[in-house]
Amino acid sequence: MEKEKRTEIASLGEFGLIDHLTKQIQLKNASSLKGVGDDAAVLDYQGKRTLVTTDLLLEGVHFDLTYVPLKHLGYKSAVVNFSDIYAMNGIPRQITVSLGISKRFSVEDLEELYAGIQLACDIYGVDLVGGDTSASMTGLTISVTCIGEGDPDKIVCRDGAKENDLICVSGDLGAAYMGLQLLEREKRIFAGETEFKPAFEGHEYLLERQLKPEARKDIVAELDKAGIVPTAMMDISDGLSSELLHICSQSHVGCRIYEDRIPIDYQTAAMAEEFNMNLVTAALNGGEDYELLFTVPLEKHDAVAALPGVRVIGHITKPELGCCMITRDDTEITLRAQGWNSLAEEE
Amino acid sequence: MEKEKRTEIASLGEFGLIDHLTKQIQLKNASSLKGVGDDAAVLDYQGKRTLVTTDLLLEGVHFDLTYVPLKHLGYKSAVVNFSDIYAMNGIPRQITVSLGISKRFSVEDLEELYAGIQLACDIYGVDLVGGDTSASMTGLTISVTCIGEGDPDKIVCRDGAKENDLICVSGDLGAAYMGLQLLEREKRIFAGETEFKPAFEGHEYLLERQLKPEARKDIVAELDKAGIVPTAMMDISDGLSSELLHICSQSHVGCRIYEDRIPIDYQTAAMAEEFNMNLVTAALNGGEDYELLFTVPLEKHDAVAALPGVRVIGHITKPELGCCMITRDDTEITLRAQGWNSLAEEE
């Protein structure tokens, strides 16, 4: 087997490394006046609103390099930020990428990571305009900030949901979470902790949802084409339940969603059965789907129901009715935010 | 002695923690339309250029919590980003702050950190508009992105220095580096590794330069008042030598600076003698001074020489003359970029 090339980062130095990783970058957006290579990037947003979002990804918390390829990780790091800009009904235009890297990583490793970031930027039409590269004493740290633009009268926040609005989600839920379970099982198999035979066949969709998520640029474009401006919108990164509670709390409303309306892919359902997990719990609380959750006025029902890849799952109520899911057997279950709880876990 | 209050972060959860740390934030800038609490912040820069810069600070690499108080660390994390915006001749307006935190830190610790960030924001008139908070398996990670604005015809990049331009620096150099040496010595004393008696008296300036640096907002304002737009500008974070080489390489020019023109404070000189270190090396290569290095056309000599806190230290030459310092005994020494080399160090 041919040995892979490994160039030590020290052989390039900080500035050499940045040059090496960014020299092929070409700016695509008219609003990107100046990119990497100065104290700050220079952007121009005349007449539009500027949107800014940021995400921090830490090794051992947000990703596990034993099963996440670096190129996929780069792709996902960029896409999760684009998703936040789409969730404001905006268009992502620029990102900055800061990396904390230990000597465990070679120049080739970082090229892979950057290749993934660049691929995401190419597909979504975003410019990489700056960042910071630094030594790390421990694992890999990735901090991405995304800047986007939006029309002043079309930006959608979380606080605009009104009583009787329809609650909609794009795509399907729970698949990324099931993909993670599958990868974790595979990891335990490699570690010899279980006798279970690895089996990725038939689960490609779940793996892709976990390793290479996409942001719903298409849904934002469809909504625009249909003349629909949602009253509230978020992307689903921490699970439907948690995000819906954010919208309801910030909009001072309650909600009812229906179990049988929650979109779930066949592979997700099959996997939940194999793992003996509650499917609806996975769909409500499994994170990282990066689908859009939004509310629209009731009179938009027919327009929104006609959109491909969008499902109406419930409606907004008065605040005193609380936030509940109606199960298949007509029981009301109060929604809870499980979501992110790493800090609450045992050390 | 009264026991300090310690609230576990797990008792608040992620969203509770963010609310707790950001609830008192009030937006100050007209361009800050919406801050913390949605997928993205919403900004408005009509007719101005938008500037974006980002910095990643990692425990054990950029700071050592054995001698850096968290409030100072917060202050510095914000200020070093403001400095990058001023270095473009712009005005910082918003920051996002992402934190990776391990369970070693309490809510009170993070309040201290945020108090420092907020103090810097108040003093510099900047709004904190967003961020991301996450568990970390290891130390503290701080990623700050700063957004600023600038007049299209006044933004200053690194690539505009011309032959015969004057090279200027603000303040004095090498003090932050000497402050770091002093703190490191103090740390070794606490660890019992040396018999040396700790002595901070008479070195207050050096400690302040290291622990609580300021960005040169005043110099940018003075330049504007004097009608001077520098041809190139950077902030000095990696040392004068390294930054000057950046300007010369990006502007395709050479330079001559004069050893006896480099501004050095008395405390810096005294400390260098005590440590038996070369003073000029410290001033050339010691980082973190966050002073401004800029070039102006020759005809601005009298105007720039009249500015308080600015020193002309040399001039720009043809590229073929290279980048040199003329020593006190009239020898030419080629400038080298030492700067950041953590990745080249032994593991």
Side-chain angles (χ1 to χ4, degrees), chain B residues 113-129:
Chain B
L113 187 73
Y114 256 76
I117 294 170
Q118 195 57 59
L119 179 63
C121 285
D122 289 345
I123 289 175
Y124 288 88
V126 171
D127 291 320
L128 201 170
V129 295

Side-chain angles (χ1 to χ4, degrees), chain A residues 14 33 37-41 43 49-53 55-56 62 103 132 134 143 145 157-158 235 250 340 343, chain B residues 9 14 33 37-41 43 49-53 55-56 62 132 134 143 145 157-158 235 250 340:
Chain A
E14 180 192 11
L33 300 184
D38 217 301
D39 296 288
L43 315 178
R49 295 282 154 80
T50 311
L51 302 166
V52 184
T53 182
D55 266 306
L56 182 64
H62 302 94
K103 271 172 289 251
D132 189 21
S134 160
S143 177
T145 297
C157 297
R158 298 175 179 177
D235 69 334
Q250 293 194 31
W340 189 91
L343 284 174
Chain B
I9 287 162
E14 180 192 11
L33 300 183
D38 218 300
D39 297 287
L43 315 179
R49 295 282 154 79
T50 312
L51 302 166
V52 184
T53 183
D55 266 306
L56 183 63
H62 301 94
D132 189 19
S134 161
S143 178
T145 297
C157 296
R158 298 175 179 177
D235 69 333
Q250 292 194 33
W340 187 92

Side-chain angles (χ1 to χ4, degrees), chain A residues 1 14 31 42 56 58 69 87 109 115 126 128 138 141 155 158 190 226 241 255-256 281 293 305 319-320 322:
Chain A
M1 210 169 75
E14 180 192 11
S31 54
V42 184
L56 182 64
L58 301 170
D109 291 336
V126 172
L128 202 169
T138 51
T141 301
I155 286 175
R158 298 175 179 177
F190 275 128
S241 210
C255 71
R256 289 294 175 276
T281 303
L293 167 68
E320 50 270 32

Side-chain angles (χ1 to χ4, degrees), chain A residues 168-178 205-206 209 235-237 239-241 257 261-269 279-293 313:
Chain A
C168 311
V169 293
S170 64
D172 59 80
L173 302 178
Y177 178 74
M178 283 302 164
Y205 178 67
L206 305 180
R209 292 285 283 178
D235 69 334
I236 303 179
S237 53
L240 173 64
S241 210
I257 58 170
R261 299 291 306 157
I262 297 174
I264 295 173
D265 185 80
Y266 171 78
Q267 285 194 18
T268 308
L279 179 59
V280 176
T281 303
L284 282 180
N285 299 317
E288 302 198 285
D289 283 318
Y290 300 104
E291 295 295 344
L292 291 173
L293 167 68
I313 61 166

Side-chain angles (χ1 to χ4, degrees), chain B residues 284-304:
Chain B
L284 283 179
N285 299 316
E288 302 198 284
D289 283 318
Y290 300 104
E291 294 295 343
L292 291 173
L293 167 68
F294 56 95
T295 55
V296 297
L298 189 53
E299 60 266 27
K300 295 286 182 188
H301 179 276
D302 293 356
V304 84

